[in-house]
Amino acid sequence: MKLLYLHCKSLFAAMVLLGICCLGCHQKNTHRNIEKSFYYWKAIFNPTAFEKKELDSLAVKTIYLKFFDVDWDNEKLQPAPKATVNIIDSSFISSKKINIIPTVFITNECIQKLQAGEVNSLANKISSLIKSICQISLPNKAVEEVQIDCDWTKATKEKYFRLLDSIKKSGIPTLSTTIRLHQVKFLAQTGVPPVDRGLLMCYNMGNLKSSSIKNSILDADELKKYTGKLSAYPLPLDIGLPLFDWYVLFRNNQFQGLIKTMDMLNPAISKINEVQFIFIKDTIISDVHFKKGDVLRQEKSDYKEIIKTAEFVSDKLNNTTLRVALFHLDSITLKKYSFHELENIYN
């Protein structure tokens, strides 16, 4: 009987010790300093009252503000800035002490067509335009970080990495770049960019133009296929999560484009299943011509999928400090989520 008592006592002690160890492991992930942020991807920076309220309620102090795009100009045969931001409400940034991270999107086509000898020149032009926008619209704002967004490939990595290195040398304290899922999975081929931090884009993970894909924006199970070695990625990583949705238009199973909003109560549209809809007759909606037989695939950032994605990625990261960026700050998008849902995603 005494032997049984001692055995049970030892077993209990072992279980308590195991529980403490498990708690410690859990705390490693949950006791992480989270910096909340948003992307702002519109050409005019003039947040609505609702958007400002959301920033205040969620205690968001950081905005990745897209300053401009860089694309290839086929007429001039050189890179050209496009969609340069117009910052109307700079007083809001100053009064709320918002941390602005200038963000520049560069197309991979631009990097492909760029001559090797023009890399430094492009870097100087990008740095100069960022500084010019800051001096005009944010004169009292110190820029501590700049982010470059580009879906580079194995074929363009050498020029792109040289571009990043040159931008970094222009005097930017912290340079970050976006990291796509395929760039994590195929690390040996795509390489590691010469920057201070990366931001892992946990969205746009499927082939948008394929009619057989269910949701190209977000699929937690699909994400797992790309992030098995995420914990070993040699850069500190922040995380980007989607809030947006859209409709993908197909004609004869061929991709035709994206539709941002759609009146699904229109009598010309019939439901096929939960995510697919078909036009049963020719019609015009918001100046867009649709033909009988055209198919729409509704894609959205489902809250449960976002949470699954966030939990999975969180367990793979070793950061004690993590910036979480939601894409993007827009009233129509934000109204689809409750305050508690957004708070849960950040946490």
Side-chain angles (χ1 to χ4, degrees):
M1 189 72 176
K2 184 177 180 180
L3 181 63
L4 179 61
Y5 168 75
L6 290 174
H7 175 72
C8 291
K9 185 177 180 181
S10 298
L11 181 60
F12 176 74
M15 291 176 67
V16 170
L17 182 61
L18 179 61
I20 292 173
C21 291
C22 290
L23 179 61
C25 293
H26 180 67
Q27 287 177 337
K28 178 183 176 183
N29 287 326
T30 57
H31 289 180
R32 178 184 281 147
N33 181 30
I34 300 295
E35 181 183 339
K36 303 172 184 176
S37 64
F38 268 104
Y39 275 100
Y40 193 97
W41 218 249
K42 292 177 262 189
I44 298 176
F45 183 80
N46 190 23
T48 65
F50 178 82
E51 290 162 2
K52 293 176 181 178
K53 181 181 177 182
E54 289 290 280
L55 290 173
D56 284 340
S57 299
L58 292 164
V60 173
K61 297 296 183 182
T62 300
I63 295 176
Y64 289 91
L65 176 56
K66 187 179 72 113
F67 268 31
F68 53 90
D69 300 332
V70 180
D71 201 357
W72 187 258
D73 189 321
N74 287 316
E75 292 184 2
K76 297 181 179 180
L77 299 178
Q78 64 182 19
K82 295 183 178 180
T84 302
V85 69
N86 179 10
I87 301 176
I88 293 178
D89 195 350
S90 59
S91 60
F92 169 72
I93 297 172
S94 302
S95 63
K96 294 296 181 180
K97 296 182 179 179
I98 298 291
N99 175 34
I100 292 295
I101 300 177
T103 302
V104 178
F105 173 70
I106 305 175
T107 66
N108 192 48
E109 179 190 11
C110 182
I111 303 297
Q112 284 176 331
K113 295 182 177 179
L114 184 69
Q115 296 297 314
E118 299 173 338
V119 170
N120 290 338
S121 174
L122 177 59
N124 291 333
K125 290 177 181 178
I126 290 172
S127 300
S128 296
L129 184 51
I130 291 172
K131 291 175 182 176
S132 175
I133 293 171
C134 289
Q135 288 171 355
I136 295 171
S137 302
L138 306 168
N140 301 317
K141 202 74 179 174
V143 173
E144 298 297 330
E145 180 180 343
V146 167
Q147 183 174 100
I148 306 299
D149 177 18
C150 178
D151 188 8
W152 85 89
T153 61
K154 177 183 177 181
T156 57
K157 71 176 181 179
E158 183 178 341
K159 282 188 286 185
Y160 179 57
F161 289 0
R162 281 182 53 210
L163 179 71
L164 292 173
D165 191 52
S166 186
I167 292 173
K168 172 68 176 174
K169 290 177 179 176
S170 68
I172 294 167
T174 299
L175 182 65
S176 63
T177 188
T178 51
I179 308 290
R180 266 67 171 183
L181 292 170
H182 71 89
Q183 292 157 353
V184 171
K185 183 175 181 178
F186 303 108
L187 174 63
Q189 290 82 8
T190 56
V192 181
V195 295
D196 301 295
R197 300 186 68 82
L199 187 142
L200 182 66
M201 294 174 57
C202 298
Y203 50 93
N204 292 354
M205 58 189 64
N207 183 359
L208 172 72
K209 298 181 179 181
S210 172
S211 59
S212 61
I213 294 292
K214 184 178 180 181
N215 189 339
S216 68
I217 295 176
L218 184 64
D219 185 331
D221 292 331
E222 185 68 19
L223 176 133
K224 293 177 182 179
K225 299 176 183 178
Y226 287 83
T227 51
K229 299 180 180 179
L230 181 60
S231 59
Y233 197 80
L235 276 179
L237 292 175
D238 296 312
I239 297 299
L241 294 166
L243 298 179
F244 60 94
D245 56 43
W246 56 37
Y247 293 87
V248 189
L249 176 64
F250 292 92
R251 181 170 296 158
N252 298 322
N253 285 328
Q254 299 298 309
F255 172 78
Q256 299 296 308
L258 293 176
I259 310 294
K260 293 296 180 69
T261 58
M262 177 59 60
D263 176 15
M264 300 311 293
L265 298 178
N266 190 295
I269 302 174
S270 179
K271 185 175 182 179
I272 300 175
N273 53 44
E274 290 303 314
V275 298
Q276 289 184 306
F277 303 84
I278 189 169
F279 284 86
I280 56 177
K281 61 180 180 180
D282 293 356
T283 190
I284 299 175
I285 302 176
S286 300
D287 296 327
V288 179
H289 293 251
F290 297 97
K291 293 185 176 181
K292 180 180 179 181
D294 283 357
V295 173
L296 289 173
R297 180 177 71 219
Q298 183 181 23
E299 297 188 347
K300 57 184 179 180
S301 305
D302 179 73
Y303 170 68
K304 292 181 180 179
E305 285 293 303
I306 298 173
I307 291 295
K308 281 174 62 179
T309 298
E311 288 176 344
F312 178 79
V313 172
S314 179
D315 286 340
K316 292 284 185 180
L317 298 177
N318 300 314
N319 311 33
T320 56
T321 299
L322 177 69
R323 184 182 292 148
V324 178
L326 303 184
F327 190 94
H328 71 132
L329 186 63
D330 173 75
S331 296
I332 296 175
T333 298
L334 293 179
K335 287 178 180 178
K336 297 175 183 178
Y337 301 87
S338 70
F339 166 82
H340 293 293
E341 287 176 333
L342 294 174
E343 188 75 10
N344 287 340
I345 292 170
Y346 278 126
N347 290 337

